[in-house]
């Protein structure tokens, strides 16, 4: 892998000798084009400033001369994840590299904080890559120490400008947008009409024993106990299918009836958050974005002890700092949904920790700063 990164860097450095285009902006994506939403909001903000900007989307694993020459001639390069070829790229002073990351706030450990520090090659790769980053935008000064550690980056490169995609949740027309999306869902799935919607969005586990959520989430029990009042949307993390060797997860999804909707492949996650009345998750950072809507969140952590002891860990105290109740079995999950007694003060305390700005101006703050450079 390091050889591929070195080759990428070598080719970039050849092209880097040529002129930069002051209007060229590039966004680096993975093969799945995951976490594209931050880029979308940044692109829209640049378009508001001038019609002359040129936008390019580059797949990071595509080592093509066209992609690399595009990056080398760009004024701004935006990232939403790790991009290790950076370690070997000589970035011009006329090019700025901006890391937007794909998660809001701080919850699960990532980057340097989540790896074995004895892996010197990876540690050095993280540090050398971060040296080429000019700016990271984060949601709050409170989470700055975690990003500094995760990226092994100087504090003066980290700015609490906010997360671009979260501008969406403060759109003054949000209620109308929700109604339009919900109407489309109801037309496609008439069974959900007149019911509250619960989104179940668990994350993946490195421990493969716990990745088949249907071994722990009893959809039949959900239907029997809650189906008259609630409809369920399921959105699985794409990485769980890397562990689905016997296709048991895929087969279960294909056999769900219309009262339980599989939205794993639904492109716009924000649509799902917006139309849902409640979120059930476990260790996913999706809960931070959902919290901005000030709707109930329940943490169904059926493998909590194993996860706390053997997975990557958290920046927060999982048992004390979350904005909602934690349950470890299906009976308790059903019971707490029926109880319908949610602590909004706890949620507000969490939001005030994770966000310095609860507004629609994150993209504006970022672009304002960059255009002054």
């Amino acid at each position: 892998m390091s050889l591929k990164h070195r080759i990428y860097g070598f080719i970039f450095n050849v092209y880097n000798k040529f002129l930069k285009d002051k209007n060229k902006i590039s966004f680096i994506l993975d093969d799945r084009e995951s976490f594209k939403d931050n880029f979308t909001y940044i692109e829209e903000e640049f378009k508001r400033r001038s019609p002359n900007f040129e936008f390019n989307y580059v797949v990071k694993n595509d080592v093509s001369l066209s992609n690399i020459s595009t990056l080398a001639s760009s004024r701004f390069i935006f990232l939403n994840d790790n991009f290790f070829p950076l370690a070997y790229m000589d970035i011009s002073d006329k090019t700025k590299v901006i890391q937007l990351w794909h998660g809001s706030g701080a919850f699960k450990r990532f980057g340097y904080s989540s790896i074995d520090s004895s892996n010197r090659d990876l540690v050095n790769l993280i540090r050398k890559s971060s040296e080429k980053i000019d700016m990271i935008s984060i949601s709050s000064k409170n989470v700055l120490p975690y990003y500094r550690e995760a990226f092994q980056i100087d504090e003066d490169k980290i700015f609490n400008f906010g997360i671009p995609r979260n501008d969406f949740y403060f759109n003054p027309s949000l209620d109308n947008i929700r109604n339009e999306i919900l109407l489309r869902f109801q037309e496609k799935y008439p069974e959900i009409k007149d019911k509250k919607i619960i989104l179940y969005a668990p994350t993946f586990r490195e421990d493969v024993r716990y990745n088949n959520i249907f071994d722990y989430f009893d959809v039949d029990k959900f239907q029997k106990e809650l189906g008259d009042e609630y409809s369920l949307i399921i959105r699985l993390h794409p990485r769980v299918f890397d562990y689905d060797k016997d296709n048991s997860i895929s087969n279960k999804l294909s056999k769900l009836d219309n009262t339980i909707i599989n939205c794993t492949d639904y492109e716009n996650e924000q649509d799902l958050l917006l139309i849902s009345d409640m979120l059930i998750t476990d260790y996913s950072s999706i809960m931070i974005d959902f919290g901005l809507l000030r709707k109930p969140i329940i943490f169904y952590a059926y493998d909590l002890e194993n996860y706390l002891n053997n997975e990557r860990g958290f920046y927060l105290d999982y048992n004390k700092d979350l904005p909602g109740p934690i349950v470890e079995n299906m009976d308790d999950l059903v019971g707490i949904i029926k109880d319908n007694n949610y602590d909004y003060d706890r949620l507000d305390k969490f939001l005030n920790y994770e966000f310095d700005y609860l507004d629609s101006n994150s993209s504006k703050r970022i672009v304002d700063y960059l255009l002054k450079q």
Side-chain angles (χ1 to χ4, degrees):
M1 186 63 72
S2 182
L3 177 60
K4 183 178 179 180
H5 298 153
R6 290 174 185 273
I7 292 171
Y8 201 114
F10 175 80
I11 300 171
F12 177 92
N13 294 338
V14 172
Y15 280 107
N16 200 34
K17 302 180 189 303
F18 300 102
L19 292 176
K20 303 291 178 279
D21 184 337
K22 67 178 183 178
N23 290 320
K24 184 177 285 187
I25 299 171
S26 293
F27 303 97
I28 300 181
L29 293 165
D30 64 11
D31 295 335
R32 292 186 176 120
E33 298 192 3
S34 307
F35 314 118
K36 193 176 179 180
D37 41 10
N38 276 334
F39 295 162
T40 300
Y41 282 89
I42 289 295
E43 179 177 339
E44 290 175 354
E45 186 62 32
F46 272 108
K47 286 178 178 177
R48 279 191 279 270
R49 310 306 176 92
S50 169
N52 297 323
F53 287 112
E54 172 194 331
F55 303 97
N56 303 275
Y57 284 83
V58 173
V59 176
K60 66 181 180 181
N61 291 323
D62 182 359
V63 188
S64 69
L65 296 182
S66 174
N67 279 348
I68 298 174
S69 64
T70 293
L71 292 182
S73 58
S74 294
R75 178 181 176 186
F76 299 116
I77 298 174
F78 286 90
L79 311 173
N80 64 6
D81 205 346
N82 293 314
F83 183 58
F84 290 137
L86 266 183
Y88 306 102
M89 293 162 60
D90 297 330
I91 304 296
S92 165
D93 290 341
K94 296 180 180 179
T95 297
K96 301 300 179 185
V97 179
I98 304 97
Q99 174 63 265
L100 298 178
W101 200 235
H102 55 265
S104 299
F107 183 33
K108 284 189 296 188
R109 294 182 179 274
F110 67 97
Y112 176 83
S113 310
S114 65
I115 65 173
D116 183 349
S117 59
S118 65
N119 186 343
R120 301 309 304 169
D121 290 341
L122 183 54
V123 169
N124 289 333
L125 199 55
I126 290 173
R127 287 175 174 164
K128 288 177 67 177
S129 299
S130 292
E131 287 174 3
K132 310 301 173 64
I133 294 173
D134 295 286
M135 187 191 90
I136 298 176
S137 185
I138 61 173
S139 65
S140 164
K141 289 180 181 177
N142 293 322
V143 305
L144 188 151
Y146 308 135
Y147 280 76
R148 181 179 59 210
E149 179 187 69
F151 286 100
Q152 295 290 286
I153 197 168
D154 293 338
E155 185 171 319
D156 60 6
K157 292 183 176 182
I158 306 175
F159 298 84
N160 60 323
F161 291 149
I163 310 303
R165 69 166 180 270
N166 289 339
D167 291 348
F168 171 77
Y169 300 112
F170 300 94
N171 187 320
S173 301
L174 198 62
D175 287 342
N176 292 334
I177 296 171
R178 181 186 188 276
N179 291 337
E180 291 173 5
I181 298 168
L182 185 58
L183 183 61
R184 293 201 301 270
F185 265 78
Q186 290 173 343
E187 289 173 350
K188 187 173 183 179
Y189 306 101
E191 295 84 357
I192 72 172
K193 193 172 183 180
D194 300 323
K195 292 184 180 181
K196 296 177 183 177
I197 296 174
I198 295 177
L199 173 63
Y200 180 37
T203 193
F204 73 96
R205 280 87 164 150
E206 300 293 349
D207 190 332
V208 298
R209 295 176 299 168
Y210 298 102
N211 268 310
N212 189 342
I213 61 106
F214 295 110
D215 290 340
Y216 308 94
F217 191 99
D218 188 336
V219 291
D220 294 329
K221 184 178 183 65
F222 178 94
Q223 279 298 92
K224 180 180 178 182
E225 299 283 347
L226 301 167
D228 290 341
E229 185 176 357
Y230 295 95
S231 288
L232 183 70
I233 290 177
I234 294 178
R235 184 173 179 82
L236 302 185
H237 193 289
R239 282 195 62 187
V240 303
F241 297 101
D242 296 340
Y243 304 98
D244 190 26
K245 303 304 182 185
D246 60 356
N247 292 318
S248 57
I249 300 175
S250 299
N251 290 337
K252 184 68 175 180
L253 287 172
S254 67
K255 294 175 182 177
L256 295 175
D257 62 32
N258 288 338
T259 58
I260 298 177
I261 306 169
N262 173 26
C263 285
T264 297
D265 295 326
Y266 188 86
E267 183 175 359
N268 192 329
E269 183 179 90
Q270 289 182 322
D271 286 0
L272 303 181
L273 299 188
L274 191 56
I275 66 171
S276 297
D277 298 287
M278 179 184 297
L279 172 69
I280 301 172
T281 188
D282 40 31
Y283 319 110
S284 173
S285 296
I286 192 175
M287 62 92 173
I288 300 177
D289 286 7
F290 191 80
L292 291 170
L293 294 166
R294 295 195 79 254
K295 294 188 287 193
I297 306 168
I298 301 173
F299 295 86
Y300 182 33
Y302 52 77
D303 58 340
L304 180 57
E305 183 176 354
N306 182 74
Y307 199 97
L308 291 177
N309 291 331
N310 299 310
E311 299 269 353
R312 70 169 85 169
F314 303 94
Y315 295 112
L316 308 180
D317 185 323
Y318 190 89
N319 289 303
K320 294 180 180 178
D321 296 334
L322 300 188
I326 302 167
V327 295
E328 297 183 51
N329 60 71
M330 199 68 195
D331 287 338
D332 289 346
L333 177 62
V334 169
I336 209 159
I337 294 172
K338 287 183 175 181
D339 188 44
N340 193 27
N341 184 19
Y342 193 69
D343 186 349
Y344 288 95
D345 289 339
R346 183 175 176 181
L347 173 59
D348 288 337
K349 180 181 178 182
F350 178 81
L351 291 176
N352 288 332
Y353 177 85
E354 294 283 351
F355 295 95
D356 287 339
Y357 300 100
L358 295 173
D359 64 21
S360 61
N361 296 318
S362 295
S363 301
K364 182 180 184 300
R365 281 186 286 270
I366 293 168
V367 174
D368 280 346
Y369 174 82
L370 292 175
L371 292 180
K372 291 175 183 176
Q373 301 307 298

